[in-house]
Amino acid sequence: MAERPSWDEYFMSIARLVSGRATCLRRKVGAVIVKDRRILATGYNGAPAGLPHCSETGCVRERLRVPPGERHELCRGIHAEQNGIVQSANHGTVIAGATIYTTHHPCSVCAKMIINAGIVRVVTDDGYPDELAADMLAEGGIAVETLAEAASAPPGRRAPTDRTPPAKLPRP
């Protein structure tokens, strides 16, 4: 019998699946926001709802040769983490205290949103060249782990969101 994936592996596999919906020409990113082992929201990167995708308009950042991690204001797309946070707000879902699983390390804009949204943990699958984002997340007290680090941490050192059972609902 195959070993069951850890919760971190499970939610990251969903983030990878979500990234398949991304419409960015440079990088496909998916994010899943989880609290008490329940998925609250998902997001992927691409143009805002109702606007043409970059596959139709072309990539401004590519045309201008903007390196990754710089000049985010030149991108017409919204990032996966931003889409997940906005989706939560649109549906009135409280994400304070949650973990966000994202296929790539958040940029500095997403890091600020993660901090202000009250997300307490970021689990990522891949890096991103944005030192300011890493510094701000650390300064904000946000636990950041790569999936490999999270999976190899001894049980007593894993983040509480990985070990805490789901909250019990009050009985009627």
Side-chain angles (χ1 to χ4, degrees):
M1 183 170 166
E3 186 176 320
R4 292 174 71 190
S6 71
W7 286 107
D8 286 333
E9 293 165 337
Y10 172 71
F11 290 122
M12 187 59 74
S13 70
I14 295 169
R16 289 185 201 113
L17 181 64
V18 170
S19 75
R21 295 278 309 154
T23 60
C24 177
L25 300 175
R26 290 181 120 187
R27 187 182 309 254
K28 308 282 187 208
V29 182
V32 177
I33 301 174
V34 175
K35 188 172 181 181
D36 295 328
R37 297 184 183 164
R38 303 289 183 258
I39 295 173
L40 303 178
T42 63
Y44 52 86
N45 58 331
L51 297 185
H53 298 293
C54 296
S55 57
E56 301 167 58
T57 64
C59 178
V60 173
R61 293 170 56 86
E62 281 294 316
R63 278 196 306 270
L64 297 176
R65 293 185 168 89
V66 177
E70 296 179 17
R71 305 288 315 268
H72 299 288
E73 76 279 5
L74 294 176
C75 180
R76 66 180 283 109
I78 182 168
H79 290 184
E81 303 92 330
Q82 296 167 2
N83 261 330
I85 292 168
V86 168
Q87 184 184 72
S88 298
N90 282 343
H91 294 282
T93 304
V94 177
I95 58 174
T99 295
I100 188 166
Y101 293 84
T102 182
T103 57
H104 293 74
H105 191 283
C107 71
S108 57
V109 175
C110 291
K112 291 183 267 188
M113 291 182 69
I114 287 167
I115 293 164
N116 277 2
I119 292 172
V120 297
R121 182 172 176 243
V122 175
V123 178
T124 185
D125 211 15
D126 199 359
Y128 188 72
D130 191 334
E131 289 182 36
L132 178 59
D135 291 346
M136 288 191 331
L137 289 168
E139 189 176 343
I142 311 299
V144 179
E145 303 170 37
T146 63
L147 184 60
E149 290 170 350
S152 65
R157 305 248 356 230
R158 290 187 188 143
T161 52
D162 189 42
R163 296 177 36 230
T164 306
K168 294 184 179 180
L169 297 175
R171 291 184 171 214

Short mmCIF file of all heavy atoms in Angstrom, two decimals, residues 33 85 88 93-98 110-120:
data_model
loop_
_atom_site.label_atom_id
_atom_site.label_comp_id
_atom_site.label_asym_id
_atom_site.label_seq_id
_atom_site.Cartn_x
_atom_site.Cartn_y
_atom_site.Cartn_z
N ILE A 33 -5.06 28.41 -0.16
CA ILE A 33 -5.11 28.94 1.21
C ILE A 33 -5.88 27.94 2.06
O ILE A 33 -7.02 27.57 1.73
CB ILE A 33 -5.74 30.34 1.26
CG1 ILE A 33 -4.93 31.31 0.38
CG2 ILE A 33 -5.81 30.85 2.70
CD1 ILE A 33 -5.54 32.69 0.23
N ILE A 85 -6.23 35.57 -2.09
CA ILE A 85 -6.63 36.51 -1.04
C ILE A 85 -7.86 37.29 -1.47
O ILE A 85 -8.82 37.47 -0.69
CB ILE A 85 -5.44 37.43 -0.67
CG1 ILE A 85 -4.34 36.62 0.02
CG2 ILE A 85 -5.90 38.60 0.20
CD1 ILE A 85 -3.01 37.34 0.17
N SER A 88 -10.94 35.16 -1.31
CA SER A 88 -11.40 35.04 0.09
C SER A 88 -12.21 36.27 0.49
O SER A 88 -13.28 36.15 1.10
CB SER A 88 -10.20 34.89 1.03
OG SER A 88 -9.49 33.73 0.74
N THR A 93 -14.59 35.12 3.37
CA THR A 93 -13.90 34.04 4.06
C THR A 93 -12.72 34.58 4.85
O THR A 93 -11.85 35.23 4.28
CB THR A 93 -13.40 32.99 3.04
OG1 THR A 93 -14.51 32.54 2.27
CG2 THR A 93 -12.74 31.82 3.73
N VAL A 94 -12.70 34.32 6.14
CA VAL A 94 -11.62 34.79 7.00
C VAL A 94 -10.41 33.88 6.81
O VAL A 94 -10.52 32.66 6.98
CB VAL A 94 -12.06 34.79 8.48
CG1 VAL A 94 -10.90 35.20 9.39
CG2 VAL A 94 -13.25 35.72 8.68
N ILE A 95 -9.28 34.48 6.45
CA ILE A 95 -8.07 33.69 6.23
C ILE A 95 -6.98 33.97 7.26
O ILE A 95 -5.89 33.41 7.17
CB ILE A 95 -7.54 33.87 4.79
CG1 ILE A 95 -7.22 35.33 4.49
CG2 ILE A 95 -8.53 33.30 3.79
CD1 ILE A 95 -6.55 35.55 3.13
N ALA A 96 -7.26 34.82 8.24
CA ALA A 96 -6.29 35.08 9.30
C ALA A 96 -5.98 33.76 9.99
O ALA A 96 -6.88 32.98 10.30
CB ALA A 96 -6.85 36.09 10.29
N GLY A 97 -4.69 33.50 10.20
CA GLY A 97 -4.26 32.26 10.85
C GLY A 97 -4.06 31.10 9.88
O GLY A 97 -3.73 30.00 10.29
N ALA A 98 -4.23 31.36 8.58
CA ALA A 98 -4.15 30.29 7.58
C ALA A 98 -2.72 30.08 7.09
O ALA A 98 -1.81 30.86 7.37
CB ALA A 98 -5.05 30.63 6.39
N CYS A 110 3.06 40.36 -3.06
CA CYS A 110 2.28 39.28 -2.44
C CYS A 110 2.64 39.13 -0.97
O CYS A 110 1.78 38.86 -0.13
CB CYS A 110 2.49 37.98 -3.19
SG CYS A 110 1.75 37.97 -4.83
N ALA A 111 3.93 39.30 -0.64
CA ALA A 111 4.36 39.19 0.75
C ALA A 111 3.63 40.21 1.62
O ALA A 111 3.16 39.88 2.72
CB ALA A 111 5.88 39.39 0.85
N LYS A 112 3.50 41.44 1.12
CA LYS A 112 2.78 42.47 1.89
C LYS A 112 1.32 42.07 2.09
O LYS A 112 0.75 42.27 3.17
CB LYS A 112 2.88 43.82 1.19
CG LYS A 112 4.28 44.41 1.21
CD LYS A 112 4.33 45.78 0.58
CE LYS A 112 4.68 45.67 -0.88
NZ LYS A 112 4.95 46.98 -1.52
N MET A 113 0.71 41.52 1.05
CA MET A 113 -0.70 41.11 1.17
C MET A 113 -0.84 39.93 2.13
O MET A 113 -1.80 39.88 2.92
CB MET A 113 -1.26 40.76 -0.21
CG MET A 113 -1.41 41.97 -1.12
SD MET A 113 -2.12 41.57 -2.72
CE MET A 113 -3.80 41.16 -2.27
N ILE A 114 0.09 39.00 2.09
CA ILE A 114 0.07 37.85 2.99
C ILE A 114 0.17 38.32 4.44
O ILE A 114 -0.59 37.86 5.31
CB ILE A 114 1.21 36.86 2.62
CG1 ILE A 114 0.86 36.14 1.31
CG2 ILE A 114 1.49 35.89 3.75
CD1 ILE A 114 2.00 35.38 0.68
N ILE A 115 1.08 39.24 4.71
CA ILE A 115 1.25 39.77 6.06
C ILE A 115 -0.04 40.45 6.52
O ILE A 115 -0.55 40.17 7.61
CB ILE A 115 2.45 40.75 6.12
CG1 ILE A 115 3.76 39.98 5.90
CG2 ILE A 115 2.47 41.50 7.45
CD1 ILE A 115 4.94 40.88 5.57
N ASN A 116 -0.59 41.35 5.70
CA ASN A 116 -1.79 42.09 6.11
C ASN A 116 -3.03 41.22 6.18
O ASN A 116 -3.97 41.54 6.91
CB ASN A 116 -2.03 43.27 5.18
CG ASN A 116 -1.20 44.47 5.57
OD1 ASN A 116 -0.42 44.42 6.52
ND2 ASN A 116 -1.36 45.56 4.85
N ALA A 117 -3.08 40.12 5.44
CA ALA A 117 -4.22 39.21 5.50
C ALA A 117 -4.20 38.34 6.75
O ALA A 117 -5.18 37.68 7.06
CB ALA A 117 -4.25 38.32 4.25
N GLY A 118 -3.07 38.34 7.46
CA GLY A 118 -2.97 37.54 8.68
C GLY A 118 -2.60 36.09 8.44
O GLY A 118 -2.73 35.25 9.34
N ILE A 119 -2.12 35.78 7.24
CA ILE A 119 -1.64 34.42 6.95
C ILE A 119 -0.38 34.22 7.78
O ILE A 119 0.47 35.10 7.84
CB ILE A 119 -1.40 34.24 5.44
CG1 ILE A 119 -2.75 34.28 4.71
CG2 ILE A 119 -0.65 32.96 5.15
CD1 ILE A 119 -2.65 34.30 3.20
N VAL A 120 -0.25 33.06 8.43
CA VAL A 120 0.85 32.86 9.37
C VAL A 120 1.95 31.94 8.84
O VAL A 120 3.02 31.85 9.43
CB VAL A 120 0.34 32.31 10.72
CG1 VAL A 120 -0.59 33.31 11.38
CG2 VAL A 120 -0.35 30.97 10.54
#
